[in-house]
Amino acid sequence: MSFEGGPWGIVIVISAFMLQVFTFGVTGAIGVYNIEFLDYFQASASEVSLVAALNYGVFLACGPIVSYMMTIFSERKIVLGGSVLVVTGLLSVPIFPNLYVMYFTVGIVVGFGNCCTYIPSHTLSGLYYDKNRSLATGIATSGSGLGYAIMPVLAGQFIDMYSWKGSFILLAGLSLHLFIFGGLLRSPPKKSVIVDRKDLLVPLQSGEEAKYDPGNSARKMHDGHMDMYNKFKSDAYGSMIAMDGNKSHEQSLLDTTEESVSYFQDEILENNQSVPIKKEEALLPETARHVYIFKNYAFDIYFISTYLWNAGVAMFATFVPEYFRLHGFSILEVSRIIGAFGAGTLFGGILSGALGNIKGVNRIYMFIVSCLLVGLFILLIPLNQSFVYFSIMISLCGLSFGGILGLLVVVLADLVGIESLGNGMGYIMLSSGIGTFTGPVLSGMIIDLTGSYESSIYLSGIVSILSGVSMCLVPFRLRFECSGEKNVIQGVTHRKEIIS
């Protein structure tokens, strides 16, 4: 991995990892604070759940906004700005200890700040790598698992020592580390690429250059049936056209086999001359522009599945701490059980990233299995009430959840292509935000109606299983219909790989 991404690629992955430790750690600790909020404010479960629901929802639902900001500002500036919001929002809690004020400070301000620190760093970890993108994003994502593992435990210790108000000051102090790791971020270096007419052989990013051969580029096709002798130049749209105006030359390039095109590109790339391609001149697929990505059937299913597993996990994370406390465990014991979930997420993210990087492993099937296992382990939680049993089930649930997070970006890239990754990531975060907002609210209403936290746990497991079932429609459609837009990065071969 170090050879592909270079030294800065390693720095970016480490920075993204640490940013997610603090970003998801603070968010994960809110479930521990719900126990204190219920006692201090004497409010209903649905009222208290709105703090976490707003935080989760704004954190993830503002993905399209932050994705648009990334087209204007650098990733570093966005992360540093989000760090200011996180620290400010946490410090305001002990100053204004009011539930309705916390809807704004913890829910909106901290939630949007977390979004600004998460999306740019996570996207960068995928852009620095190609062959090892699954492993890189898996390592970066595992930072969320470490955050879930240590921050709830620290929050429980802080509450025990300094009360819940004082603990927020310490959390704000820990969040100052966001400035350090955010300052290490930088955009990936410019790349030189070959562009073709409508079907780009390699997608252009803003600021990239298209290399071309101003003279004769000759190669003999592997089957020995024809030779290609073409002169090419770049037109106003960044497309390679024949300098002699012979359309048959251009068509012959388009009709070349995938293996021949790859060889032809290598020969052209040996030339040192280049033509800068402006952002507005680069031809990108329609799915990379605004809401047109929803014309991709696979992305639509992925959007729905993302909503479901986020809703299920958010229900679980918000109220399972109170469920454990009602079974006689102290807040410190509860925080340690929740920490087991984070530890499982840490290892699950790394494991899924490593497995997804192995050639021949189907990442979509891995994603489906992870969703199903999350729901299954949640449903098994109420079967026993011992500390050891809860810890084991929670850790297994976290291991499966880490599998989802570790594959989130790379599966999205498989479905929509790397050139549509930024646009797709924004809308996937929107889906996640809607799920994490509606999940806790719905769960709180069910608890108020039934008076049982077990009903919320069962609903959480069922919804998580439905996310995996719905995702099964993607390989079904690709295998039996093979319709939809061809992935322009890897062509037909790519389409075959993601269903095989």
Side-chain angles (χ1 to χ4, degrees):
M1 184 175 68
S2 60
F3 293 100
E4 182 185 357
W8 270 106
I10 298 177
V11 172
I12 295 301
V13 171
I14 294 176
S15 298
F17 175 90
M18 294 305 301
L19 285 169
Q20 293 193 39
V21 168
F22 294 101
T23 298
F24 282 91
V26 171
T27 299
I30 294 180
V32 177
Y33 282 104
N34 280 342
I35 299 174
E36 299 295 322
F37 295 160
L38 287 169
D39 294 335
Y40 184 84
F41 296 112
Q42 294 297 308
S44 66
S46 58
E47 290 176 314
V48 170
S49 68
L50 195 55
V51 177
L54 283 171
N55 182 273
Y56 292 147
V58 174
F59 176 7
L60 302 175
C62 290
I65 298 176
V66 177
S67 295
Y68 174 75
M69 291 170 59
M70 290 170 60
T71 64
I72 303 175
F73 307 104
S74 67
E75 291 85 355
R76 180 186 300 165
K77 290 181 179 179
I78 296 174
V79 172
L80 293 179
S83 303
V84 173
L85 295 177
V86 172
V87 174
T88 303
L90 293 176
L91 284 177
S92 64
V93 172
I95 300 175
F96 305 102
N98 182 280
L99 187 61
Y100 298 103
V101 174
M102 290 172 61
Y103 291 158
F104 175 75
T105 56
V106 178
I108 298 177
V109 176
V110 176
F112 185 70
N114 285 336
C115 185
C116 290
T117 59
Y118 169 66
I119 292 183
S121 62
H122 198 46
T123 302
L124 278 180
S125 67
L127 293 179
Y128 265 81
Y129 295 90
D130 183 16
K131 294 181 181 179
N132 295 299
R133 181 176 297 119
S134 176
L135 181 59
T137 56
I139 293 174
T141 301
S142 64
S144 61
L146 183 59
Y148 278 129
I150 63 176
M151 294 301 280
V153 177
L154 288 177
Q157 295 283 354
F158 293 158
I159 292 171
D160 186 59
M161 297 173 63
Y162 304 105
S163 79
W164 70 268
K165 295 179 183 178
S167 66
F168 270 96
I169 299 177
L170 297 178
L171 285 182
L174 290 175
S175 297
L176 291 173
H177 289 84
L178 294 172
F179 291 97
I180 298 176
F181 297 105
L184 293 175
L185 300 179
R186 75 172 187 177
S187 300
K190 295 180 180 180
K191 299 178 181 178
S192 295
V193 297
I194 293 297
V195 291
D196 201 1
R197 297 195 316 181
K198 287 187 177 181
D199 291 328
L200 292 176
L201 300 178
V202 181
L204 287 175
Q205 302 291 336
S206 176
E208 289 184 339
E209 296 180 346
K211 288 191 175 183
Y212 71 99
D213 188 349
N216 286 332
S217 293
R219 71 165 301 277
K220 190 172 184 178
M221 295 186 66
H222 292 293
D223 57 14
H225 292 304
M226 66 175 294
D227 294 328
M228 295 178 62
Y229 299 91
N230 293 327
K231 293 182 179 180
F232 295 98
K233 65 180 180 180
S234 178
D235 65 7
Y237 298 97
S239 301
M240 303 302 292
I241 61 175
M243 294 180 64
D244 58 8
N246 192 333
K247 297 296 183 180
S248 64
H249 288 169
E250 300 175 29
Q251 188 61 42
S252 65
L253 178 61
L254 295 176
D255 295 338
T256 308
T257 63
E258 180 183 1
E259 182 181 6
S260 301
V261 169
S262 177
Y263 185 90
F264 189 67
Q265 286 182 339
D266 291 339
E267 287 194 352
I268 297 177
L269 282 173
E270 292 178 359
N271 189 281
N272 292 324
Q273 298 193 20
S274 61
V275 173
I277 303 298
K278 296 181 180 179
K279 181 179 180 181
E280 60 270 19
E281 293 175 346
L283 293 178
L284 291 174
E286 191 176 41
T287 55
R289 302 194 296 270
H290 307 298
V291 297
Y292 291 101
I293 196 170
F294 286 99
K295 296 179 68 175
N296 185 320
Y297 168 85
F299 177 80
D300 294 339
I301 299 300
Y302 196 52
F303 185 90
I304 296 172
S305 176
T306 300
Y307 164 79
L308 291 172
W309 68 256
N310 273 280
V313 173
M315 294 178 190
F316 169 78
T318 302
F319 291 108
V320 77
E322 179 64 12
Y323 172 78
F324 294 150
R325 191 184 70 85
L326 292 176
H327 283 81
F329 297 106
S330 66
I331 190 169
L332 290 178
E333 291 174 322
V334 170
S335 64
R336 289 171 185 148
I337 296 176
I338 300 302
F341 177 84
T345 304
L346 169 64
F347 291 107
I350 298 176
L351 180 61
S352 64
L355 292 177
N357 208 59
I358 299 175
K359 185 177 181 180
V361 173
N362 191 294
R363 293 187 283 254
I364 294 181
Y365 292 158
M366 286 179 58
F367 186 87
I368 293 173
V369 171
S370 297
C371 292
L372 296 176
L373 289 178
V374 167
L376 175 62
F377 290 129
I378 290 177
L379 291 176
L380 294 176
I381 287 177
L383 298 183
N384 196 295
Q385 286 77 41
S386 68
F387 180 86
V388 175
Y389 179 81
F390 282 151
S391 300
I392 293 175
M393 286 298 104
I394 286 291
S395 61
L396 291 175
C397 183
L399 186 69
S400 304
F401 181 63
I404 296 176
L405 296 182
L407 296 169
L408 182 64
V409 174
V410 70
V411 168
L412 177 61
D414 286 341
L415 296 178
V416 304
I418 190 64
E419 78 287 353
S420 300
L421 181 60
N423 189 32
M425 191 65 181
Y427 285 107
I428 285 299
M429 296 301 290
L430 173 63
S431 174
S432 301
I434 297 174
T436 52
F437 176 78
T438 58
V441 174
L442 178 61
S443 182
M445 295 174 60
I446 291 176
I447 292 173
D448 290 337
L449 289 174
T450 62
S452 171
Y453 283 86
E454 288 188 358
S455 60
S456 173
I457 293 176
Y458 288 134
L459 178 62
S460 171
I462 292 173
V463 172
S464 299
I465 290 176
L466 287 176
S467 68
V469 173
S470 64
M471 194 64 187
C472 291
L473 295 175
V474 173
F476 179 84
R477 171 70 176 265
L478 294 178
R479 182 175 295 278
F480 293 102
E481 296 187 16
C482 293
S483 61
E485 188 173 331
K486 180 189 295 184
N487 189 301
V488 296
I489 301 177
Q490 301 177 27
V492 177
T493 301
H494 174 83
R495 296 286 293 182
K496 292 180 179 178
E497 285 178 352
I498 63 176
I499 63 175
S500 61

